[in-house]
Amino acid sequence: MNEPPTTNTAAAPLEMRDVTKRYPGAKTAAVDRLCLEVPAGEICVLVGPSGCGKTTAMRLVNRMIELTSGDILIDGVTVLKRDPSDLRREIGYVIQQIGLFPHITISANVGVVPQLLGWHKERIARRSADLLQLVGLPEEMGSRFPGQLSGGQRQRVGVARALAADPPLMLMDEPFGAIDPINREHLQNEFLRLQSAIRKTVVFVTHDIDEAIKMGDRIAILREGGELVQYDTPNEILAHPADDFVARFVGADRGLKRLALTRLADLDLIAAPCVRPGQPIGSVRNQLLPGTGVVLVDTDGHPLGEVPPDRLADGRVTDSDARTIGQTVTTAFTMREALSLMMTDSLRPLLVLDGEGRVAGYVSIELINRTLHDEAQHARRGSATGTR
Amino acid sequence: MSGAAVAAASGPVIPHYGTSDSCVLHNGAFCWHWFAQNWGSLFQPKLIQHVELTVIALVIGFAISFVLALAAHRRRWLAPPVTFVTSLLYTIPSLAAFEILVPITGLGSLTIEIPLISYTLLVLFTNTLAGLSGVSAEVRDAATGIGLTRRQMLTRVELPLALPTIVAGIRVATVTIISLATVAAYVGNEGLGQLIFDALHSNDFNTQFLGAGGLAILLALVADGFLVLTQRQLTPWATARRPV
Amino acid sequence: MSAFSAAFTFVIHNGHLLLTKTETHLAISFEAILISVVLGVPLGVVLGHIHKGSFLAINVSNVGRALPSLALLSVLLPVVGISRTNVIITLVVLAFPPVLTNSYVAVEQVDSDVVEAAKGMGMRTSEVIRKVELPLALPLIFAGIRTAAVFVVATATLAGVFGGGGLGDILFNEPSYKLSGVIGSSYVLVVLALAFQVMFKGLELAVTPRGLRKQPRLVPPQVVEPSVLQPAA
């Protein structure tokens, strides 16, 4: 999207060991012996119903709330021995209502932590400008005040502000919760793009399982009482929920949700029977799929039309035989979107084009089914090492 | 300090040193005996006078402000000019106002009442209007939707909901009036302030200072407390606080 | 109406006298305002920051507001005697509540999300107060100081009740200065009060951070415009 910031400290891994928070007089713990590890550069989403302790758990990391017992280690160093204010200056913190300081400019807002750390004025100004650009805001917005910005713009500034001192760890508490759904999707996509460039370790709290699935490299599902029920990749959680609670929480449509995780680009698409006009079709006759015809392509592989099976009597096909192809999809589509379109056409296989509009292959319901099955197998084998 | 001439002109009440009360003779801090003895002749009448002054000012001031606030509630454009005039009246220090009125209205109740009333117009008007405007649009909408006429909405919905704010204004007005009335004794021989000025001009009698001053303070606090309790009785929903 | 023109004449012919009296008047006033600010602002800010003591901060104002000024002066007489100190104490007792309450409310009502973000970014307590809460609270704090100041300048006249100085020396001394003097000093008093009102309002506007100027007030006024007191005790 944009160039990464000028400095780039390595992301730090986070470890929670038996983290417990119990409020005096409360019957149940707010967080109960939470154990999890977030590898450096990954997004770990804490998700669960309200009262499950996800926000509490997050705020224990930067000691906005103090631990009752257990330990939290950032890059192997316990947070308990550090001065809380110093600790927090090394952790990016984004909250739902953002909390921009209304009395100073956007640029000054972004530069708060660098200023606390004693950076030079010019360095802070440059950094602010870079970050505003990074989150997709025009440069002149730096001299405006928060009161003049929209919710979505303010949220971007919040992210920029959290990144200002280039922290190795980011904590985000329902950062997009207060935004309308359309802008929320944009912000989520932009953050993911940002993350692919800068790779921070992120702890992300949400109550929305769909957001968790979209954003998380790993998801930690918490139950009321601060109990960790399952901690795994989205695909594994959807394929194999640990218990009824998780199954209910992810929703009965978890099968469909899994389909949203994979793009057609990652699949081994079925080879499409393609011929150029005037070419004999004998070679591709055995590639024909039920319900589809031969695809007529030009020299570059761009589709010109489809020749239905009943016109394939003679060995060659010409332009006049071809009918225009109906619905196609690209490799950027997810399996879920492809399935959705196939269902509107009696589950006929769908032609897939690549980024340049060339034929990439077919996707069919059988392919999707096979892929899901294979994915589950692979995931089960790979979950021990924690790879996707 | 002014001389006996002033004391004579304003008709002082000189304490009766009849009994050889050592407290009185040595001007002790507070002579209960003397105070109790002179309650009926000295303190009580002045206290009652003070209360009278207060109530008259309050009733008239409230009546005027209420009418103005209702009018401004209907016609928004009235609010700024009325606010401007009442704040102007508020800014004029009361003492100055009393003195400026003397040539016009002489020395007496009227000179006292006029500044008292005008001083409180700002608070009463602002609060009454704020209370009425503070009723949320949704509530008004629902009321109209049920079929209430404007007058019914006013009496059944807006006024009850505005009551806490209005009473807050009355509280401020009341204690302000009590306070000003004390000073106003300078231009009219009425109220507890009279006793204070007398003591200052003649004998520096501590008990009189404490007695009169203390009574004025008590009056103000009691009136304030009474209004708070009344408001809580009338509007139980207003004081129930949501746990934060 | 001749009394009014006579008063004008008095003012014109007694410039020096009025100036001296005004100087004393202002000295008493500023001393009282200064003491109330030094006592009230830090206390209010600290209480507001820790979000404790609301009962105290709000009710001190309710009680303080109720105290009749002359009565207070009178009650202090047996204790402190007839002196300038008596007046200053009375003025401070009366000016302290609005300063305290406004300082408390101003800091307490700073958007909690902003404070949360400030803490979360690693600001220490002193930094949170200095860089975030105070700048946002200053307009309302100054509104409280303005209320107190205008009240003090008006009430300082009471010093004249026993010849303690200030414009009250003339205003309460009709035998010596006649009605024209009394009304003339009243004119000066009115001008002073208005001047204070304007001056402190200007200060209030000057301390409003740029980012807040176009915004609506942080706290909708429930009572008289300058101070903020809640309807229920």
Side-chain angles (χ1 to χ4, degrees), chain A residues 271-302:
Chain A
C274 303
V275 290
R276 288 197 295 276
Q279 257 194 322
I281 59 168
S283 53
V284 297
R285 219 187 252 279
N286 56 357
Q287 282 181 334
L288 275 173
L289 291 169
T292 64
V294 168
V295 182
L296 220 54
V297 295
D298 63 12
T299 42
D300 289 320
H302 292 113

Side-chain angles (χ1 to χ4, degrees), chain B residues 1-2 6 29 88 90-93 95-97 99-104 119 122-123 126-127 130 164-165 168-169 171-172 175-176 178-179 182-183 186 193 196-197 200-201 204 206 208-210 212-214 216-217 220-221 224 228 231-232 238-239 241, chain C residues 1 3-4 59 62-63 65-79 82 147 150-151 153-155 157-158 161-163 170-175 179 182-183 185-187 189-190 193-194 197 221-226 229-233:
Chain B
M1 257 205 330
S2 346
V6 180
L88 213 57
Y90 178 81
T91 311
I92 299 175
L95 284 168
E99 295 295 354
I100 291 175
L101 277 175
V102 167
I104 305 172
Y119 208 69
L122 175 65
V123 180
T126 306
N127 270 42
T165 314
R171 278 172 67 198
V172 177
V175 299
T176 310
I178 292 174
S179 177
T182 320
V183 180
Y186 192 67
I196 299 176
F197 282 115
L200 270 172
H201 292 149
D204 288 343
N206 285 340
Q208 194 158 324
F209 285 132
L210 266 177
I217 294 176
L221 292 175
D224 198 39
V228 172
Q231 183 237 300
R232 289 215 188 131
T239 42
R241 293 219 176 283
Chain C
M1 281 303 150
F4 292 108
N59 283 306
N62 287 340
V63 169
R65 181 193 58 195
L67 296 175
S69 44
L70 183 63
L72 191 56
L73 196 74
S74 170
V75 160
L76 284 172
L77 275 171
V79 180
I82 292 175
T147 307
V150 174
F151 186 69
V153 86
T155 314
T157 321
L158 284 180
V161 162
F162 42 69
I170 305 176
L171 201 141
F172 283 107
N173 200 345
E174 196 181 336
L179 195 59
V182 166
I183 298 181
S185 58
S186 303
Y187 289 162
L189 190 56
V190 172
L194 285 171
Q197 180 81 268
Q222 287 276 326
V223 193
V224 178
E225 185 246 333
L229 301 167
Q230 308 299 317

Side-chain angles (χ1 to χ4, degrees), chain A residues 71-139:
Chain A
D71 201 357
I72 298 180
L73 300 112
I74 301 178
D75 210 3
V77 180
T78 170
V79 302
L80 293 172
K81 294 252 169 63
R82 307 213 44 204
D83 172 72
S85 296
D86 287 334
L87 173 69
R88 291 174 197 149
R89 291 176 197 191
E90 292 172 12
I91 300 178
Y93 188 56
V94 185
I95 55 178
Q96 185 173 18
Q97 299 304 330
I98 313 147
L100 291 183
F101 301 161
H103 60 296
I104 54 180
T105 61
I106 297 299
S107 188
N109 261 285
V110 172
V112 169
V113 180
Q115 204 212 20
L116 289 175
L117 291 172
W119 290 17
H120 270 196
K121 267 202 196 147
E122 303 88 46
R123 189 178 170 206
I124 298 179
R126 259 184 292 126
R127 180 76 175 153
S128 288
D130 283 345
L131 284 166
L132 286 179
Q133 201 191 20
L134 193 62
V135 298
L137 288 171
E139 192 186 326

Side-chain angles (χ1 to χ4, degrees), chain B residues 119-134:
Chain B
Y119 208 69
T120 59
L121 286 179
L122 175 65
V123 180
L124 291 171
F125 171 75
T126 306
N127 270 42
T128 310
L129 185 59
L132 288 171
S133 329

